[in-house]
């Protein structure tokens, strides 16, 4: 089992979810995050103060998947998340030592 | 775009300064001249109760616009556009108030032809007599006046809020500079003439006998002459703004992702506050349109109240039955729909007629924003057309129906005979349809032209990238919330 | 449940349509009849200052309900129930306004027996004279009138807001359909008779001499005859709603997780806005209950103002001393507590008495919502009982104390003699206790029965699952915020 | 700190109780005495239109403070301090209202010397005549009165909101107990005397002939005698509060992280609501300062309206040109700047003068909060100085300029001759500068001393740790939002 | 050291926290997330528009624990987080290569 | 590649970001979290109710970095995030099996 974490542009979430569902990934967990990177932020003005806001709203998605489909998932989600402009985000893959479905106690690939 | 906007702003500012300087001169000059010419009593004994009520009414309409409408609309968009929408309301209202003082009031409310007034009150000149006392403006009762400054201020708020209503139709995608330029054009070429057509008349004192009445009648605005009843602005305000909104959202195009992405209102409690303040403030609008605090104001008041309550019930229960659950957004929308529909009727019908008008408005406008809208497929972001135009038309027609004394209506007052009559339901509905039709056409065509001009000059629509990021940070350099 | 609610809604809607049709007929018919019967002057010379003030007062009470109370309550619940609570306030207020016009006003404010009025004003019939002029309603001064439509509208807002107050007690767990059905029942069988008992009288003009006064006295409502003083609704509004709330929260049961889970208010700034709008609007409630803009309205006004300010201080400082820190929720609650307590007293005491009443209310209600509530262990979600019932009782009793001219109070006016007297502190407090006791009993029992009926018919409580998810999405298909 | 605050609170509470008990006695006692002494007509025929308008005006100013200012300021701080700021406004307003009734009104508005009044109205004593009727207070028209209770209530709101304005300067870092203690001191030693200096006079009835006028003139406050025009409180309210704010933020020091950390407003829609409610409420402030609902109130009204609209345009367009984008915070700030600047002028200038004053205020205050502030380097958190003091000074001076009848101004009324004159621009501006200068000095010095006293007694500033965590949880045990 | 990540129903947070504290886990880090999975969402209605809201509010908790108590922790938290209804969530276990307590610089098992 | 996760006090974010940027880490992902640990929370009072709020607002930052600079990054961020008071937070290091830049498809150290 692997845990795939992707940082994507927020408005791509629906597409990405669809794409991985098509491959058969049933569940994902989504977090609103802020990203700093190559993509430039904007400037905010409040009366006398001017702030450079470097962070940008990003969406983090986490999917636990079986080793067999890792490549396929990365491929699929990268394809739909890509706009080609800076700030499209990253995919990270981490090894999962154990997975449990709380409801049933099922483990491993059964659990996701 | 940046450059464009900046130049536009600079130009506007320079223009404003120039105009004001001229204005101050002319205002001082004209006063002496006008003082003699005025036909009304030199220093009428105003009733302080009237003044008190009209001061309150005026500030109530201000409260409808800001914070009322700004919140009602602000809560309905996505969080990334909340400031954009509020800002469009706030600044449009302010800019038009200034223009109202400079030329708007004069064009709408002085004599001219049937479509446009004249320039004698530009810069609010001529409203003081030689002794520095405030000159009177007519009400609907013979021999009862309020200071003309007060009448001008009251009407100023109407002009401002009407334009602000349109903002909802093209919310979340139009450039701020484009909004402002459009508003200035539309105000000048649609709002002012329509207000003149519907509301300008010589005042009751002119109706001394049949001959005088005929002469007076001919000096009135085009739709006034047609006998269209519109107590507080169903045509001038709601149909006028509603159709301008529809044309706008058609021309500017749908929001990116419309129909596929969820575009839920970001702050429903704000919508509730906004709707409630609209309800509260609307008494200034409707009962204020009575122009005096006589007993009849109480009838206008209770009519407005009951129609709104009935419309909340109408929309909510219809939604419950036909759309599964009653929603807060629905109750709030129902209140506004009821208020819109009772606006033309509030001084011409009875309380029971008002209940019916309200209940129908709730149901019909719900239908308009669900079935009609999805059938026609336009993206009127905040349903300016479905609520204001549809509700306004419904109200205009039902005014003709429930004006009937047999249905508890007031009928129409004959200032010469001093008696109440009724034109007959059919005749009156025809008169009402004149009002509806002319307003739809005039405002529709003028809006179309104004949008096209703006599109040519600075472009209507924000770039796709800006729309995605949200107009708040891009156009205003701010975020609504940092929680 | 879905089906149930839908059927309920359909039934209500159909009923409404039917009733209205009948109403319109009867209204038109009755007018002719009533016109002759009315004892008051045919076309009194209303003072426009009175009308102006009463129009304002009426809209202020509307503002108390929406957005005031809707926000005050909405901010206090958890985010998942914000719309549920606002919606209950918004729709209850609207439904009862419609029912008020249909039968409520008539039952509360026309002659009948000591407990219920009659049906002569159903559908607001009979309020125009033959010439179409608005008929007068009495004030507290002989020969001073306001249009009856205006009086009816003013009182309509009282009925609406009183019912809405109850919502706080069973917030976050009662079904929307159950809330509405309960409200209709409670309004009919508790609010209307109690309003009649406390406020219905023949008006000052009837008190011409001792004999006439006695006759007039006997036609008044039950508690009016007992001499209970309640200037603006301490019994009718606050005790009435407060006890109904207590019964409700006991019957519907505690919220899931009450006492173990944190149930912090989700939006304290909303609470602040709500409380502030209640404060502002309450002047319509209290000084509006004076029914005219005479000099005495100024005394009612300053009394209300000072009691509120003192109560904010009282609650805040007591909290600081006894509960470690002064809180915004506390200051807001203090304002409301002070307003509640001064409500019955505001026209019967002096400014210094008001300061004392307010300060005590702040401290006593703090005690009620902390010690008393935790001792008794009920889950009155938003402290309707602790603030409105306890504050109302305190105010009712202190009215009897500070009415004493020796303590700066006004005493009581004898309309026949034209002089001011005082019943004696003991006697007056006994009268006050009559008012308190009867209201507690009547409303308590009626509420109990109404809740039971609703529970039988459609069930009071949302399912556990729905309560956990939050009523907004489940019952209204909306979320408050998408930030 | 905890102990300190608690002791402070206890002491205050005990004191309050004591004072009230004395007060109630003295009020009852004094009434008999005073009744005879009063020179004004025993039971004047108040105009109900005046009373209606002044009741409304008073509640409008209340609405400016809560929820208006509390939101305007609350939205501008970081989320962790939203309650702290709202609470400071809410409780300061309440505490000062109570103190106003106890001694404030008497010291400000009874005769004494040129700087302080006397004690004859402490505990609001002496405002009823022997028959229990409300005694009159003068307006600006001979023979026109309003009840003195009403005048006292109206002025009470001015005192309260003025103090609340200062809160913005040291927001996010001052202890709650320190804020309250400072407010009590500053109110007593700065607000009361300056109100007396600027506004106390014998009333128009005293100006019967030249000799009487001279005598009357000498009994007036110091700045009144200097001929400084301040219609609604430019000096007393805005300069007074603005300079106290500047001194405060200098003494308490900058916020931790100021200049390096982003301190964006946490809720810009709240700022919008707050500014809009300030706009709406300000008509009570300005047109209410006319004290009667005569025709002239309409001029004050439209002046206030147009100046605000022009200031919104001024600030917004200037920002667009010079700072890249027009912001919602800017539009809201512009509205307030315009309102501040027109405050002293609103009854002395014409509508075109108002447009110019407003537009200039928008641009000048933008400059003040950007260039001036960053040049001087103080941390006035919410720009009390930049908007209220700078805007107030600008308005005071321009009042002297646009009072000129040649520029559409009213000139000055001579109560003896019954004619209007004008002092000449130079003379009038000198008079205005007297008002500005004395207020700056008096309030500046008194504030300095008050802050120092508070710092010695309980310490001004919250600990660094508390400041970092946010004052809401630390000082009030609450969080603003649990979304 | 292992990093245990659990996705649970939000209202179970207090119980879970108590349960792991009882075993001796002193610190946890909590994030509000949105979950997509087998559990169905609700429908929202806004005037003309009807949205199926598929995501559900979930709570993610992260605990760094010593290898020795991993099983025990999973057991305990699963037990209290279980309602038996669909949507109870998952537990993921990942290997931690290094752990540092910032305040002291302590590492490994000392750090948590 | 390693994924460094740090839980820090929120007001330290700007400093930490600067510190890691100085070492050459160009991107980071930031999440608002709530932490329970040794640091004590505060008490909240709402009318009759008194709640101990144990969780504290914390900021989680995640950085994918090349193995070569892991120590350096931990060192740098710990130094600036340290106040010496309880609650300063933790650093966790996890092995990254794969990293992808969505925009370009670049992998591994090229991707961050
Ligand atoms: N080294 C990193 N570690 C963790 N997150 C990163 C890293 N680099 C980038 N990110 C995340 O990816 C997002 C996009 O990265 P960015 O450099 O802006 O664009 P791109 O991925 O197109 O090169 C950032 O906003 C940040 O959230
Ligand atoms: N493959 C997955 N990867 C990451 N998170 C998942 C995955 N599957 C489920 N989840 C998370 O677990 C939650 C519960 O899963 P769900 O399928 O609804 O119920 P259950 O765990 O009871 O089968 C989801 O809302 C989601 O947050
Ligand atoms: N075992 C753990 N697993 C995950 N997060 C932890 C753990 N222990 C602490 N934390 C996180 O680190 C933060 C700081 O920990 P705490 O014990 O309060 O202080 P310190 O790190 O200074 O000892 C906590 O608020 C929590 O977010």
């Amino acid at each position: 089992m692997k845990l795939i974490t992707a940082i994507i542009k927020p408005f791509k979430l629906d597409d990405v979810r669809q794409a991985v569902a098509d491959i058969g990934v049933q569940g994902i967990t989504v977090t609103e995050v802020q990203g700093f990177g190559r993509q430039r932020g904007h400037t905010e003005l409040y009366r006398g103060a001017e702030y450079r806001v470097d962070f940008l709203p990003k969406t983090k998605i986490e999917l636990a998947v079986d080793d067999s489909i890792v490549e396929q998932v990365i491929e699929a989600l990268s394809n739909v998340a890509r706009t080609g402009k800076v700030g499209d985000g990253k995919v990270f893959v981490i090894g999962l030592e154990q997975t449990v479905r709380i409801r049933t106690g099922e483990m491993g690939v059964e659990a996701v | 775009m940046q450059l464009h906007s900046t130049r536009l702003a600079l130009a506007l500012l320079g223009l404003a300064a120039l105009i004001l300087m001229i204005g101050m001169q002319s205002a001082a000059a004209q006063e002496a001249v006008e003082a003699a010419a005025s036909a009304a009593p030199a220093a009428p004994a105003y009733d302080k109760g009237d003044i008190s009520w009209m001061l309150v009414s005026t500030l109530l309409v201000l409260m409808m616009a800001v914070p009322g409408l700004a919140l009602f609309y602000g809560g309905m968009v996505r969080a990334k556009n909340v400031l954009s929408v509020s800002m469009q309301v706030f600044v449009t209202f302010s800019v038009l108030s200034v223009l109202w003082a400079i030329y708007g009031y004069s064009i709408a409310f002085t004599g001219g032809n049937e479509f446009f007034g004249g320039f004698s009150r530009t810069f609010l000149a001529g409203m003081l007599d030689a002794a520095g006392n405030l000159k009177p403006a007519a009400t609907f009762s013979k021999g009862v006046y309020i200071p003309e400054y007060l009448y001008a201020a009251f009407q100023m708020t109407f002009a401002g809020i009407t334009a602000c209503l349109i903002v909802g139709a093209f919310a979340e995608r139009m450039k701020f500079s484009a909004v402002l330029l459009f508003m200035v054009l539309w105000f000048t070429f649609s709002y002012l003439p329509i207000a003149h057509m519907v509301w300008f008349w010589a005042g009751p004192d002119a109706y001394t006998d049949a001959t005088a009445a005929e002469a007076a009648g001919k000096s009135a605005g085009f739709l006034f002459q047609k006998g269209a009843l519109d107590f507080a602005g169903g045509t001038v305000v709601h149909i006028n703004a509603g159709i301008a909104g529809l044309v706008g959202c058609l021309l500017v195009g749908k929001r990116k992702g419309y129909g596929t992405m969820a575009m839920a209102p970001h702050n429903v409690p704000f919508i509730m506050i906004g709707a409630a303040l609209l309800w509260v403030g609307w008494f200034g609008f409707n009962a204020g349109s009575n122009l005096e605090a006589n007993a009849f104001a109480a009838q206008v008041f209770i009519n407005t109240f009951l129609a709104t309550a009935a419309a909340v019930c109408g929309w909510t229960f219809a939604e419950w039955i036909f759309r599964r659950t009653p929603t807060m957004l629905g109750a709030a929308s129902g209140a506004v729909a009821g208020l819109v529909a009772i606006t033309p009727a509030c001084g011409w019908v009875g309380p029971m007629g008002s209940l019916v008008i309200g209940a129908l408005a709730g149901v019909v406008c719900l239908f308009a924003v669900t079935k009609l809208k999805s059938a026609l497929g336009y993206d009127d972001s905040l349903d300016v057309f479905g609520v204001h135009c549809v509700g306004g038309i419904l109200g205009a027609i039902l005014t003709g129906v429930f004006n009937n004394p047999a249905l508890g209506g007031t009928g129409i007052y004959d200032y010469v005979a001093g008696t109440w009559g009724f034109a007959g339901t059919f005749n009156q509905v025809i008169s009402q349809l004149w009002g509806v039709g002319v307003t739809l056409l005039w405002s529709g065509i003028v809006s179309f032209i104004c949008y096209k001009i703006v599109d040519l000059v600075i472009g209507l629509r924000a770039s796709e990238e800006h729309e995605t990021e949200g107009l708040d940070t891009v156009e205003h350099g701010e975020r609504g919330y940092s929680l």
Side-chain angles (χ1 to χ4, degrees), chain B residues 22-113:
Chain B
I22 305 171
M24 211 117 50
Q25 304 287 345
S26 90
Q30 258 179 307
E31 252 151 62
V33 183
E34 292 279 328
S38 169
Y46 297 115
D47 189 297
K48 286 174 159 183
D50 289 339
I51 292 181
S52 174
W53 173 239
M54 292 310 298
L55 292 171
V56 171
S57 292
T58 307
L59 64 86
L60 285 173
V61 186
L62 167 63
M63 189 177 79
M64 290 173 67
V66 291
L69 190 68
L71 270 178
F72 185 66
Y73 279 179
M76 246 186 273
V77 296
R78 287 164 291 174
K80 63 184 178 181
N81 294 316
V82 56
L83 300 182
S84 147
V85 169
S86 322
M87 184 76 180
Q88 287 170 16
V89 170
F90 210 97
V91 177
T92 294
F93 192 84
S94 299
V95 168
L96 297 191
S97 295
V98 172
L99 296 185
W100 181 258
I102 294 176
Y103 64 85
Y105 174 69
S106 189
I107 290 177
F109 287 103
T110 61
N113 58 33

Side-chain angles (χ1 to χ4, degrees), chain A residues 67-88:
Chain A
D67 296 15
S68 62
I69 57 167
V70 169
E71 287 312 315
Q72 207 183 340
V73 169
I74 294 177
E75 178 82 18
L77 83 77
S78 296
N79 282 344
V80 295
R82 186 175 300 127
T83 68
K85 298 221 186 96
V86 68
D88 277 348

Side-chain angles (χ1 to χ4, degrees), chain A residues 11 14 42-46 53 55 85, chain B residues 256 261 465 468-469 473 476-479:
Chain A
F11 69 96
D14 278 339
H42 60 273
T43 309
E44 291 181 12
L45 288 172
Y46 298 99
V53 177
F55 70 80
K85 298 221 186 96
Chain B
K256 223 186 128 202
M261 269 169 60
E465 208 175 329
T468 304
E469 179 168 341
T473 50
H476 305 291
E478 292 170 306
R479 255 169 319 131

Side-chain angles (χ1 to χ4, degrees), chain A residues 7 34-39 58 85-90 92:
Chain A
I7 317 288
Q34 299 169 353
F36 299 82
R38 282 167 190 76
Q39 190 188 355
K58 297 281 172 191
K85 298 221 186 96
V86 68
D88 277 348
K90 313 283 170 195
F92 303 130

Side-chain angles (χ1 to χ4, degrees), chain A residues 6-87:
Chain A
I7 317 288
I8 60 171
K9 290 186 168 165
F11 69 96
K12 285 293 189 183
L13 175 60
D14 278 339
D15 293 346
V16 168
R17 192 156 58 86
Q18 197 51 55
V20 297
D22 290 347
I23 308 177
V25 179
Q26 293 213 21
I28 67 177
T29 299
V30 173
T31 316
E32 285 175 22
V33 298
Q34 299 169 353
F36 299 82
R38 282 167 190 76
Q39 190 188 355
R40 289 196 43 205
H42 60 273
T43 309
E44 291 181 12
L45 288 172
Y46 298 99
R47 286 189 179 165
E50 185 161 351
Y51 306 123
R52 264 206 57 71
V53 177
D54 285 322
F55 70 80
L56 292 149
K58 297 281 172 191
T59 295
K60 175 162 96 175
I61 63 176
E62 290 168 302
L63 316 87
V65 299
D66 190 52
D67 296 15
S68 62
I69 57 167
V70 169
E71 287 312 315
Q72 207 183 340
V73 169
I74 294 177
E75 178 82 18
L77 83 77
S78 296
N79 282 344
V80 295
R82 186 175 300 127
T83 68
K85 298 221 186 96
V86 68

